[in-house]
Amino acid sequence: MRRRQRRIALLALPALVAGVLVTTGPAGADPTGSTAAAGSGRSQLENQEQARLVPIKLAGADMLDKVVAAGFDIEHGLKRVPTGIEGEAVVTAEQVAELKAMGVEVLGDDVAFEWSDEADGGIQGAAARTVQPASHEATVRIARADWFTTKGQGFLYVEARTTEGQQADPIVEMQLENDSGKRTSFGFARTMSRFVDSGQYMFHRNLFKLDARPNQIRVTSSTGGVTTGVVSDWLEDAPPPLTENRGYKSDFVDGYRHPQQLYSRAKEIARQYPDIAEIVYLPNQTNGYQRKAQATIGGTGQAAVVVSSAAWGHEGGNDVTVEFVDRPGADLPLAAEVAGKAVRVLLAKDASGALASTATEVADALRTQSQGLIDRSHPYRTNAGTGIVAPTAGPVALTDSLDQKRVGAPEGEVPRGPVTIPVLRIGKHRDGKKPGVLIQAQDHAREWVPATTSLESAERLVHNYRSDRETKNIVDNTDVFFILSNNPDGANYSFYNFASQRKNMTNHCPDATADPAQRNSWGVDLNRNYRVGSGHDGYAGGSTNCVSGTYQGPEELSEPESKNIIWLVEKYSNIKFMMSVHSNGGQLFWQPGAYIADGRITTPRPPLGDEAFYWQSASRILGQVKAHRETVVTPENVGGSSDVLYSSAGNVREDLYYTYGIYAFGWEVGGSVYNPATGNWQGGSFQPVWEGDPNLVSGHAETMEYANGITEMFRVAADWGKDKKDPTSKLVPGNGKYRGPVDVRFETNEPATIYYTTDGSRPTLQSPRYAATEFREPGQVFHVTETTTFNWFSVDSAGNIEKNYDPTKNDKRNNYRTATIKIDKR
């Protein structure tokens, strides 16, 4: 009952969800059907070798939206820097010029941003926060001050705000000082970096190297505000990972895996361990690693014709040929004749015997007279098709171009046709009574490490169940669902055709972008195809351009892959946790994930209790990542994704959290690793070399360390499921008489949401919720000037209510908490 009440409270957030679109279907017997591959990216070339990664710098989120809307494929490894956003684009030489024309700064190949020792950026978890609470009069507040070490080097991250930060003329500057430990003086003054996103002031922040851990910092604004704060530790006290347990087995994955290998191993695990594992088949089949055979005939001018087969390439489309034929004579009509799979277009001639068929006329003839062999035929892109078509030198073969394998791709043909995605379910008690955890990998095709990380996590569960006590506790007390590749079509295309493929292979493009040279750019970004805060509702970060890397699809939940996720969480309502695993940014984030650009209006922020629970869980998860080889996901890269990354309209996390009350994380594995040899942070990639320097980026190291983190998420879920203890809370300072106005705030012994009243009424789930002072800050401070009675109760993340209070009933016991602040005005 109490857990149900907790979910009611969560779902009382402002509604953003349209009607639920769910496609039901069989999800039982092993279906027939094969695997597939997909399409994305803005490259207008057939082969990936013709495009390259180019480092770029954008002035801010507004420019990012414009570049994405224009169809450019911007890499996930975006990073906020003091003067904008840096990242990489997959572009050709011609497109580099287009970027420059849009105002994008194209950096040299060897240029990468590094925080200087004088100004840098970061964050901190609410549960570990020890900075001073804000006074109602403060114009400067310290939100976070974090100390962490990696590879023997110390770093301090500070995030602070000024209430005058939005001021643009003159811009308010902030100075940061730190001591060198307890009872030492402040020094080392630095100017902090001011961050503005979509026209809105965010904060000032810094990340810089220090050799000694400071105890306190002091921040001063150029308008005279000043405050001090205590430094906290970030990921400094993580317990040993399970891999250090005696006899614990790990390191099962020895290389990248394409979808067929992933799915085959998932099914084999279910066969090997039937007492703790099974396969659930998702009902909606994907498009498949298949597409229509095509050719562009006659160049790219007004006389060019784009031709597409009616049949999939492997089902006969690749056998179709088209020939444009010149005949002797004059006053000849345009006609087409078909012999088997050969289509001959007999071009028209005028009275003088000159060719007279335009591209538009030829395209119409192919559609109407090809006896069903040709599906789409049209002038090239936006051409009017007014040019006179020339005869071809002979028959032109249509092709789906899926027989050309990328250099270095695994051996073996990719099965064609739609794919049924298997879900590997692991748990001793798969009856819906244990908390479920959904691990969803590879929404984006080119991200290969998330799949190996997820498979490694699954292997550890089944191999250690009978020999490791902590693993047995996980399997006995959770119900884990692994989608090892949620985008098999795109993943196969990435392995075998175009390594930078991001989207699936569903082609929603109109004629203007449906020619063969656009094939690498077709598809839908699955993580922009959901219903909450979507681009269809005006949120930023999803594109309506079908060749954009973030194309959101023609409508919400248009894709089978996204429909499947909704089907899964509705069928298995015990799923309470979700991790969408991506790469390679090195971030861990949650809600809010999207905003309306005009005014930077985000989706609703989670209640302070949920925010604190996210931070607490993140600290546990990332502590286990660090335990492998001291890789630190820096605090600047943790929190609401729209705050630490960018707006991603229509992402899966927000749909699951706001619609179903699921704690939904997004994880960008990989990212920067500190290299002690150079003293710099080295960036990651989507497909890093599998083996490499243990101090640097490699697929193997990332797989192992992030599998540690996923395993810790399972322990978080197990602890959550066993949590039956009520939270406790207090008002600080509490009951008493005060000589004048006083600042008070709530404190809890664990992450919990507080509902309170100040008018003497009993608190309910409809009462105000205790909120943060500002996003990414501790709870608000009440400035009490009149005698006031606070009545309240707290609810923890597992749904336990303080003192077993029932806010839904008018219980005469009224066993909620209460405190009166008496103000003596004498």
Side-chain angles (χ1 to χ4, degrees):
M1 174 62 181
R2 289 185 295 174
R3 184 158 299 164
R4 182 181 65 82
Q5 293 165 355
R6 168 68 182 87
R7 292 301 146 199
I8 290 173
L10 175 60
L11 299 179
L13 291 167
L16 292 175
V17 185
V20 176
L21 278 174
V22 180
T23 301
T24 58
D30 191 353
T32 58
S34 51
T35 46
S40 139
R42 190 183 186 275
S43 170
Q44 298 178 4
L45 301 172
E46 282 293 312
N47 299 312
Q48 61 173 22
E49 286 77 15
Q50 296 172 280
R52 64 189 179 97
L53 291 179
V54 174
I56 60 172
K57 184 174 180 180
L58 306 156
D62 290 345
M63 181 177 284
L64 172 63
D65 288 343
K66 291 176 183 176
V67 170
V68 169
F72 285 93
D73 185 5
I74 304 299
E75 296 285 83
H76 252 192
L78 295 176
K79 182 178 181 65
R80 292 185 185 276
V81 298
T83 53
I85 299 172
E86 290 191 352
E88 293 176 313
V90 181
V91 288
T92 64
E94 179 183 354
Q95 292 164 349
V96 169
E98 295 178 42
L99 284 173
K100 290 180 178 178
M102 296 177 69
V104 176
E105 182 180 352
V106 177
L107 306 175
D109 288 347
D110 58 346
V111 175
F113 174 80
E114 296 175 9
W115 289 104
S116 71
D117 288 345
E118 293 162 6
D120 289 5
I123 319 168
Q124 169 189 318
R129 193 174 308 151
T130 58
V131 295
Q132 305 300 322
S135 163
H136 71 282
E137 295 178 342
T139 60
V140 175
R141 299 191 306 272
I142 297 173
R144 288 166 178 83
D146 293 320
W147 165 261
F148 66 88
T149 59
T150 177
K151 310 293 178 63
Q153 177 62 57
F155 289 87
L156 175 66
Y157 173 76
V158 176
E159 188 173 294
R161 280 190 178 87
T162 168
T163 56
E164 299 165 326
Q166 191 66 27
Q167 177 179 311
D169 188 19
I171 292 175
V172 177
E173 295 185 348
M174 303 252 270
Q175 289 283 327
L176 169 68
E177 300 170 276
N178 61 268
D179 63 19
S180 299
K182 292 183 179 180
R183 294 180 293 278
T184 61
S185 59
F186 288 113
F188 318 104
R190 300 165 175 85
T191 299
M192 296 185 71
S193 301
R194 177 175 178 265
F195 282 79
V196 175
D197 183 33
S198 197
Q200 300 299 308
Y201 170 69
M202 300 282 286
F203 34 62
H204 285 72
R205 67 178 184 180
N206 293 75
L207 174 69
F208 53 91
K209 296 179 184 177
L210 286 179
D211 292 330
R213 185 193 188 283
N215 183 57
Q216 286 189 308
I217 62 169
R218 181 167 63 192
V219 177
T220 306
S221 77
S222 58
T223 56
V226 61
T227 191
T228 61
V230 177
V231 175
S232 300
D233 287 328
W234 174 250
L235 310 182
E236 289 296 286
D237 301 310
L242 296 188
T243 51
E244 294 188 12
N245 290 358
R246 183 176 181 180
Y248 189 87
K249 304 177 187 68
S250 63
D251 206 351
F252 296 98
V253 183
D254 60 2
Y256 291 118
R257 297 285 185 268
H258 57 63
Q260 294 75 247
Q261 294 168 318
L262 293 168
Y263 295 165
S264 176
R265 181 54 190 152
K267 295 172 186 178
E268 181 62 22
I269 287 174
R271 286 192 290 268
Q272 286 179 302
Y273 304 92
D275 58 327
I276 59 171
E278 64 179 307
I279 295 293
V280 174
Y281 290 99
L282 296 176
N284 301 288
Q285 288 191 315
T286 69
N287 174 87
Y289 179 75
Q290 58 185 11
R291 60 190 178 194
K292 302 300 179 68
Q294 289 186 301
T296 299
I297 305 174
T300 60
Q302 289 292 341
V305 180
V306 178
V307 185
S308 301
S309 65
W312 296 109
H314 68 286
E315 293 180 343
N318 289 333
D319 300 324
V320 175
T321 63
V322 173
E323 183 178 9
F324 298 162
V325 180
D326 182 9
R327 299 166 290 167
D331 279 327
L332 299 177
L334 175 66
E337 58 184 26
V338 177
K341 295 292 182 68
V343 181
R344 299 178 79 240
V345 178
L346 309 178
L347 299 175
K349 286 194 167 184
D350 62 17
S352 67
L355 292 170
S357 296
T358 66
T360 296
E361 292 168 340
V362 169
D364 290 342
L366 283 167
R367 282 196 309 273
T368 59
Q369 300 178 44
S370 65
Q371 299 181 19
L373 291 178
I374 303 303
D375 181 22
R376 298 171 71 172
S377 183
H378 50 84
Y380 180 79
R381 301 203 180 171
T382 58
N383 290 350
T386 55
I388 300 301
V389 173
T392 59
V396 176
L398 306 190
T399 176
D400 61 10
S401 295
L402 294 179
D403 57 342
Q404 297 175 4
K405 299 296 184 285
R406 185 175 64 83
V407 175
E411 293 183 2
E413 287 291 324
V414 181
R416 306 296 178 90
V419 176
T420 297
I421 298 176
V423 181
L424 175 60
R425 186 183 187 186
I426 298 177
K428 180 63 176 176
H429 307 288
R430 303 183 301 279
D431 54 6
K433 295 180 180 179
K434 299 296 182 180
V437 184
L438 171 59
I439 303 298
Q440 175 210 50
Q442 209 170 36
D443 252 359
H444 294 148
R446 62 195 176 200
E447 298 167 10
W448 295 359
V449 176
T452 55
T453 298
S454 300
L455 178 59
E456 172 70 19
S457 303
E459 297 278 12
R460 292 182 185 185
L461 291 183
V462 296
H463 282 280
N464 292 291
Y465 176 64
R466 301 195 183 282
S467 57
D468 180 71
R469 182 177 63 183
E470 292 181 82
T471 302
K472 187 176 190 303
N473 176 63
I474 290 171
V475 176
D476 286 350
N477 291 287
T478 61
D479 190 0
V480 183
F481 298 79
F482 288 96
I483 301 178
L484 298 175
S485 175
N486 195 46
N487 184 2
D489 305 345
N492 276 316
Y493 196 70
S494 176
F495 269 97
Y496 290 94
N497 300 91
F498 180 66
S500 293
Q501 177 74 6
R502 173 182 168 97
K503 302 180 287 183
N504 68 7
M505 285 190 74
T506 307
N507 178 19
H508 293 291
C509 284
D511 291 349
T513 44
D515 58 87
Q518 295 276 29
R519 282 169 167 165
N520 288 343
S521 300
W522 293 342
V524 174
D525 183 344
L526 300 178
N527 203 35
R528 299 296 185 275
N529 194 231
Y530 291 85
R531 304 163 296 180
V532 175
S534 78
H536 300 280
D537 297 324
Y539 285 80
S543 176
T544 58
N545 184 343
C546 72
V547 294
S548 166
T550 57
Y551 176 53
Q552 62 197 11
E555 61 186 15
E556 295 166 348
L557 292 186
S558 63
E559 303 309 293
E561 297 91 340
S562 53
K563 286 186 175 79
N564 280 335
I565 300 301
I566 300 304
W567 177 87
L568 189 68
V569 299
E570 292 197 337
K571 181 175 178 63
Y572 300 98
S573 58
N574 64 315
I575 294 176
K576 301 300 181 186
F577 294 84
M578 185 264 191
M579 180 77 83
S580 181
V581 190
H582 292 260
S583 68
N584 62 346
Q587 293 106 4
L588 181 59
F589 43 72
W590 47 86
Q591 304 75 41
Y595 56 72
I596 297 171
D598 186 7
R600 201 179 185 280
I601 303 169
T602 69
T603 50
R605 294 188 178 275
L608 185 59
D610 278 7
E611 181 84 5
F613 180 70
Y614 272 126
W615 275 105
Q616 183 187 73
S617 302
S619 180
R620 291 179 58 173
I621 292 167
L622 297 177
Q624 293 303 299
V625 173
K626 182 182 179 183
H628 180 73
R629 57 166 187 158
E630 287 200 81
T631 295
V632 172
V633 175
T634 59
E636 67 179 295
N637 287 316
V638 183
S641 64
S642 65
D643 301 333
V644 305
L645 195 56
Y646 45 73
S647 178
S648 53
N651 67 77
V652 63
R653 305 179 307 277
E654 301 209 275
D655 204 329
L656 299 197
Y657 177 77
Y658 293 117
T659 310
Y660 304 102
I662 295 170
Y663 287 108
F665 293 82
W667 204 355
E668 290 270 351
V669 306
S672 297
V673 175
Y674 181 72
N675 183 355
T678 63
N680 296 319
W681 293 81
Q682 181 199 11
S685 66
F686 293 116
Q687 298 139 23
V689 295
W690 181 253
E691 295 287 359
D693 186 328
N695 283 324
L696 303 180
V697 173
S698 72
H700 178 244
E702 288 181 2
T703 294
M704 296 306 129
E705 64 194 355
Y706 284 98
N708 281 4
I710 289 179
T711 301
E712 186 63 23
M713 186 175 180
F714 301 151
R715 293 206 286 188
V716 168
D719 292 345
W720 182 91
K722 292 185 289 185
D723 181 7
K724 300 296 185 290
K725 188 175 181 180
D726 293 347
T728 61
S729 60
K730 61 183 178 180
L731 192 69
V732 180
N735 269 317
K737 182 181 292 187
Y738 301 88
R739 293 183 177 275
V742 62
D743 290 343
V744 300
R745 67 186 188 280
F746 287 112
E747 290 184 357
T748 59
N749 71 322
E750 62 173 305
T753 298
I754 291 176
Y755 296 83
Y756 70 93
T757 64
T758 57
D759 61 1
S761 62
R762 63 189 304 275
T764 69
L765 293 169
Q766 284 70 49
S767 299
R769 278 196 301 252
Y770 185 53
T773 303
E774 181 58 273
F775 68 94
R776 299 166 64 77
E777 289 192 26
Q780 66 198 100
V781 174
F782 302 98
H783 185 57
V784 181
T785 60
E786 303 282 346
T787 295
T788 303
T789 296
F790 289 82
N791 296 328
W792 78 91
F793 66 93
S794 61
V795 186
D796 69 15
S797 60
N800 301 305
I801 300 180
E802 188 171 8
K803 298 178 68 175
N804 204 30
Y805 172 62
D806 188 342
T808 67
K809 297 179 180 178
N810 195 2
D811 192 335
K812 292 182 179 179
R813 293 181 302 165
N814 286 334
N815 56 330
Y816 48 77
R817 300 297 309 278
T818 185
T820 300
I821 306 297
K822 297 179 181 179
I823 304 299
D824 187 352
K825 294 186 176 181
R826 289 181 299 172

